[in-house]
Amino acid sequence: MNDEDSSVGYREAYSNTISGQANGKFMYYTADAGYDFLRGSTYKVGAFVGWTCYGQKSDSV
């Protein structure tokens, strides 16, 4: 990975860091459920089920 930083007003105005990274894997899971089955006074009825999965791979050498 190549990380370049620069700043104004500091002694070191520029830095370049080179480092390796392996197995950079991220996974996120979410799940939702609902309910209501009828109600009243201008109504609801109900039911909901949802899920999602997000994955990202960011390897660098």
Side-chain angles (χ1 to χ4, degrees):
M1 182 182 325
N2 188 3
D3 180 25
E4 296 181 274
D5 297 312
S6 60
S7 58
V8 177
Y10 290 101
R11 206 164 127 212
E12 186 177 307
Y14 174 78
S15 71
N16 186 4
T17 306
I18 298 174
S19 60
Q21 176 187 352
N23 196 17
K25 191 174 183 181
F26 306 99
M27 296 295 290
Y28 302 96
Y29 299 95
T30 59
D32 295 303
Y35 168 71
D36 252 332
F37 297 104
L38 303 176
R39 279 260 171 125
S41 194
T42 344
Y43 263 75
K44 295 191 173 183
V45 168
F48 173 80
V49 175
W51 69 276
T52 186
C53 170
Y54 173 74
Q56 178 179 348
K57 186 175 181 180
S58 62
D59 289 342
S60 65
V61 178

